């Protein structure tokens, strides 16, 4: 997964045995790389032919002149959510960072143990962390509690995070905890990237 990047055009190949699916091969653009999978936008096909779920699917793409293939499961939700590919061949984590998007979201930051609290904004957002601009002096490894306002969510998202970089009035935090919270942030990243897909040239 570490070789897959946003805006890459990939080929999706569904199993052919038994004529189970209305489509066999199609191309898609990678919207975002999240967790052990990717959010995709199909190219040039009627979305009505996409199966709700398919196993033993191959995602193929070219990386530095080499053809790379990943095996996994494909899911499609017609009512929002879009097309997702989840790796199932032992490649479980992306070794570099996940997709991140530039976004200014309000965030309240509190030191561990109910200490000093301040407000700030995010500079960018990723499924596993944030870059925050806030008037707070932090230390590497410091634990923080965050309340992140995410569009579409009725309440701020509560996150426990650790500082992984800081400097110049900015600090980056990583939040490995609550899978549900990470899922909400990941969905925001996917939706943000999907909106950009139609305004940015595909490289």
């Amino acid at each position: 997964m570490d070789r897959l990047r946003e805006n890459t055009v990939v080929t999706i190949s569904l199993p052919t045995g038994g004529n189970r699916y209305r489509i066999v091969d199609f191309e898609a653009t990678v919207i975002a790389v999240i967790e052990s999978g990717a959010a995709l936008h199909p190219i040039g096909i009627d979305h009505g032919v996409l199966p709700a779920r398919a196993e033993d699917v191959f995602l193929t793409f070219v990386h530095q002149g080499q053809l790379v293939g990943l095996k996994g499961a494909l899911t499609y939700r017609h009512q929002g959510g879009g097309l997702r590919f989840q790796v199932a061949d032992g490649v479980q984590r992306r070794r570099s960072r996940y997709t991140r998007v530039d976004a200014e979201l309000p965030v309240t930051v509190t030191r561990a143990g109910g200490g000093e609290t301040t407000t700030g904004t995010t500079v960018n957002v990723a499924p596993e962390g944030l870059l925050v601009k806030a008037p707070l002096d932090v230390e590497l490894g410091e634990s923080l509690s965050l309340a992140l306002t995410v569009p579409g969510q009725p309440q701020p998202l509560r996150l426990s995070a650790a500082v992984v970089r800081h400097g110049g009035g900015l600090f980056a935090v990583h939040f490995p905890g609550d899978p549900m919270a990470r899922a909400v942030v990941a969905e925001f990243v996917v939706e943000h990237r999907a909106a950009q897909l139609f305004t940015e040239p595909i490289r």
Side-chain angles (χ1 to χ4, degrees), residues 29 60 107 119 157-158:
T29 301
T60 309
V107 61
T119 57
L157 195 62
R158 303 290 176 176

Side-chain angles (χ1 to χ4, degrees), residues 14-105:
L14 279 67
T16 57
N19 296 319
R20 288 177 289 173
Y21 306 111
R22 296 168 61 188
I23 191 170
V24 175
D25 295 313
F26 63 93
E27 291 188 329
T29 301
V30 176
I31 296 173
V33 179
I34 50 176
E35 299 297 336
S36 56
L40 306 171
H41 177 73
I43 300 173
I45 64 168
D46 178 357
H47 291 198
V49 304
L50 294 171
R53 183 173 178 84
E55 302 285 348
D56 298 325
V57 174
F58 279 93
L59 181 153
T60 309
F61 61 99
V62 176
H63 176 73
Q64 295 182 353
Q66 300 294 317
L67 195 61
V68 180
L70 300 173
K71 185 179 181 182
L74 193 71
T75 56
Y76 181 70
R77 287 179 286 173
H78 293 269
Q79 299 299 322
L83 185 66
R84 303 294 172 85
F85 176 84
Q86 193 75 17
V87 173
D89 63 356
V91 184
Q92 293 302 317
R93 293 291 176 188
R94 191 182 185 197
R95 291 189 291 275
S96 58
R97 65 176 178 82
Y98 300 128
T99 296
R100 64 183 63 244
V101 296
D102 293 335
E104 295 183 0
L105 303 181

Side-chain angles (χ1 to χ4, degrees), residues 128-139:
E128 85 287 8
L130 309 169
L131 181 61
V132 177
K133 182 177 182 180
L136 185 68
D137 292 328
V138 297
E139 297 179 355

